[in-house]
Amino acid sequence: MRYRTRVTAPAALLGTMAALSVAAPAHAAPETGTPGPETLGDPVFPGLGNDGYRVSAYHLDFAYDATTRLVDATATLTLTTTQELSRLSLDALGLDVHEVLLDGVPATREQVGQKLRIIPAATLPAQTSVTVTVTYTADPRAGLTPTAWVPTPDGFAVCPQPNAAHTVFPCNDHPSDKADFTFRITIPAGLKGVASGRLVSTEDLGDGRTAYDYRSREPMATELVQITVGDYVIKDRQGPHGLPLRDVVPTARATALEPALALTPNLVSWIEQRLGAFPFETYGLLPCNSDASDAFDFTGLETQTLTLYKPNFLLQAEKSIGSHMMHELVHSYFGNSVSPATWSDLWLNEGHADFYGLLYRYERGWADSLGLTTMEARMKDTYARGDQWRRTSGPVAAPNEANLFDSQRYLGGVLVLYALRQQVGESVFGAIESTFLERFRNASASTQDYIAVASEVSGADQSGFLRDWLYGTRTPRMPGHPDWTVTPVSSALRQPQNRTDGHWHDNSATL
């Protein structure tokens, strides 16, 4: 059999090499039968995901070289075919693939665009368990588009949302295919390696390197994975009901950041009173060790069990950060525990995160960015903009790639939830929320799933009401507020985006 010789290439060449690399066992069987579709049909990112199988587990083994600043990695996927497959594909971009094994046997491979195609020696039957092992090298500084890598002076972090996990590891990169994750991170002395989940073991390799093993207790969408390496200190504290909290903090900033980190236990207590017990085994913050303005295009990101933040944001007073810290914490429930079935369902994540983040703000009497201090006042202002936002940004539950993270998904989503609460009453609304979270815990759910739960729990068909709010081109009447009016569409009205500095995720009203 003939294999590619492993070489260390300049960073700029890694993506090119990855795109061109092809390796095959000698005398490989020709491709026959049915190749797996290279899409899951997402309406926002139709190129993401691959059909014909589902992944049950990932094991990611990363070794970081502080001299070359490259990552040598092995991704092991356990999957089950859902149909007969003569070929399957994974999402992968910018990865210099050295070898692919199917159940331990070298397989033919090719990288085309953002797909890693794998052709087994014989067609895989339906309902067959298969282990796929991909060995590769990645460069966190490669400058891919998109990219999940956040290079730092002493290592890296990752921010996969929404469409970039496959620049870090080959995967079925869609939130509808959640899986178990384990991680092994090998790093040189003086650095820490951290991942989503809980630390299960630490091994001194005896050569100046340490290996850290992590396991996520709950399944995870690929866009929620966090892996970070750097000069960090781990700060442990206890949350409500004995929940272990761990923060991963740049060593040089640990003291300055402590006031913000100390807020987490009370934040968890507040949200548990409204949404139930925290759904994961741990929670904490990762103030990334980078001050670069373009390190990533948001303030905070809800990677599972560990929220990634720009460190300087957390140096502000509580009234300036507490509402957004609640926003990110709420994503542990809406977005992480219950993930969107498609990216069109993003309003379920962001609308809920802003809804509870704003409630938290107004309970404390903190004025928002408009100077308003009540949910009713903010919703009246948002309601007036409704038709303009629907004209410029589309309905709340019908985004496209360009406007996926604009305010229509955030504040527009809050307005839908506020309208539903007005329609059914606060106690029924709370029951809808808890039922939805319990029914779809550790799974993915669609907008239609939420509508169905709302109808079931309220005892009345809410489909027409919610579809008008979520998909209509005109803003419906607000229950309980017949005096509220929608401003006629005008180019003079504010656009849905709150920011114009290029930070396209930062449209949360909690900032």
Side-chain angles (χ1 to χ4, degrees):
M1 297 183 182
R2 181 170 59 85
Y3 303 96
R4 292 180 64 247
T5 301
R6 181 170 180 172
V7 296
T8 300
L13 295 181
L14 285 177
T16 301
M17 292 169 59
L20 296 177
S21 64
V22 178
H27 312 300
E31 184 179 337
T32 60
T34 305
E38 295 183 336
T39 179
L40 284 171
D42 190 271
V44 178
F45 296 107
L48 278 183
N50 306 274
D51 211 353
Y53 66 87
R54 292 295 180 267
V55 182
S56 59
Y58 292 86
H59 177 67
L60 304 181
D61 189 339
F62 278 27
Y64 177 69
D65 188 321
T67 301
T68 65
R69 301 180 69 180
L70 300 178
V71 175
D72 287 323
T74 300
T76 303
L77 292 71
T78 303
L79 56 86
T80 300
T81 60
T82 57
Q83 64 180 63
E84 185 178 272
L85 291 177
S86 61
R87 185 184 77 200
L88 61 93
S89 60
L90 303 174
D91 297 308
L93 176 66
L95 308 178
D96 182 20
V97 176
H98 308 306
E99 186 177 52
V100 175
L101 305 177
L102 281 182
D103 290 332
V105 177
T108 302
R109 71 178 191 272
E110 63 175 351
Q111 286 178 264
V112 178
Q114 299 189 38
K115 301 294 180 179
L116 171 61
R117 292 173 177 166
I118 303 168
I119 304 174
T123 296
L124 300 173
Q127 303 304 316
T128 298
S129 179
V130 181
T131 299
V132 180
T133 305
V134 183
T135 304
Y136 62 97
T137 296
D139 180 4
R141 300 164 298 155
L144 303 166
T145 301
T147 184
W149 294 101
V150 181
T152 64
D154 47 15
F156 62 86
V158 298
C159 54
Q161 191 187 95
N163 62 335
H166 61 288
T167 67
V168 177
F169 59 101
C171 56
N172 201 24
D173 199 1
H174 195 270
S176 64
D177 194 14
K178 301 174 77 167
D180 295 329
F181 275 82
T182 55
F183 307 85
R184 184 174 177 86
I185 309 169
T186 301
I187 45 86
L191 301 179
K192 285 283 196 304
V194 183
S196 299
R198 294 293 303 277
L199 179 67
V200 294
S201 68
T202 303
E203 181 181 359
D204 184 347
L205 300 181
D207 58 359
R209 299 184 304 157
T210 302
Y212 297 89
D213 291 285
Y214 290 82
R215 178 183 298 276
S216 179
R217 186 187 68 190
E218 315 292 351
M220 186 161 34
T222 53
E223 52 113 355
L224 301 173
V225 166
Q226 182 56 256
I227 306 169
T228 188
V229 168
D231 181 11
Y232 291 104
V233 60
I234 310 301
K235 305 190 75 170
D236 295 307
R237 69 191 81 224
Q238 191 172 86
H241 316 300
L243 175 70
L245 301 175
R246 58 93 192 256
D247 299 307
V248 181
V249 193
T251 301
R253 304 171 189 242
T255 300
L257 288 166
E258 177 57 25
L261 306 177
L263 299 175
T264 299
N266 286 335
L267 291 166
V268 175
S269 293
W270 188 90
I271 199 60
E272 283 193 333
Q273 293 171 20
R274 289 151 181 84
L275 298 180
F278 187 76
F280 299 114
E281 65 269 42
T282 187
Y283 182 69
L285 306 187
L286 167 58
C288 185
N289 195 18
S290 174
D291 290 320
S293 61
D294 59 349
F296 39 87
D297 59 358
F298 47 84
T299 295
L301 182 71
E302 66 277 12
T303 52
Q304 193 155 307
T305 71
L306 198 60
T307 293
L308 181 69
Y309 263 109
K310 289 185 174 178
N312 288 336
F313 174 79
L314 296 173
L315 295 177
Q316 302 177 84
E318 180 184 2
K319 68 178 182 179
S320 298
I321 63 176
S323 181
H324 193 262
M325 289 178 69
M326 180 59 70
H327 171 109
E328 297 299 343
L329 177 59
V330 170
H331 278 312
S332 295
Y333 298 82
F334 292 96
N336 296 15
S337 179
V338 181
S339 298
T342 73
W343 285 106
S344 288
D345 303 307
L346 182 76
W347 79 273
L348 286 166
N349 303 15
E350 303 302 346
H352 277 100
D354 257 17
F355 181 85
Y356 291 100
L358 287 173
L359 286 179
Y360 185 77
R361 174 188 291 278
Y362 299 138
E363 278 192 13
R364 276 145 191 78
W366 300 334
D368 61 26
S369 60
L370 302 181
L372 304 174
T373 56
T374 67
M375 179 69 89
E376 183 173 328
R378 188 60 186 261
M379 289 300 94
K380 184 176 182 180
D381 178 88
T382 304
Y383 184 80
R385 306 174 192 278
D387 282 1
Q388 176 74 15
W389 287 15
R390 289 168 190 267
R391 169 72 66 86
T392 58
S393 190
V396 173
N400 56 42
E401 183 175 353
N403 63 31
L404 179 62
F405 288 97
D406 73 13
S407 290
Q408 184 71 309
R409 262 40 77 186
Y410 290 75
L411 263 177
V414 177
L415 191 66
V416 173
L417 296 172
Y418 179 85
L420 178 61
R421 191 177 67 169
Q422 291 289 110
Q423 173 84 344
V424 301
E426 190 166 348
S427 62
V428 173
F429 177 78
I432 291 169
E433 299 282 86
S434 59
T435 301
F436 179 76
L437 289 171
E438 178 61 30
R439 183 165 300 172
F440 295 100
R441 181 172 180 171
N442 297 329
S444 300
S446 68
T447 297
Q448 182 54 48
D449 291 325
Y450 187 81
I451 293 172
V453 169
S455 297
E456 174 190 329
V457 173
S458 69
D461 184 1
Q462 303 294 341
S463 58
F465 177 82
L466 284 172
R467 286 186 178 278
D468 284 348
W469 276 96
L470 290 163
Y471 299 105
T473 58
R474 299 292 298 273
T475 305
R477 299 296 296 270
M478 176 61 71
H481 293 288
D483 57 315
W484 285 13
T485 59
V486 179
T487 304
V489 172
S490 166
S491 59
L493 287 181
R494 181 182 300 179
Q495 298 296 306
Q497 293 81 2
N498 289 347
R499 301 281 177 112
T500 58
D501 58 4
H503 295 189
W504 69 309
H505 286 59
D506 279 355
N507 290 304
S508 169
T510 60
L511 284 167

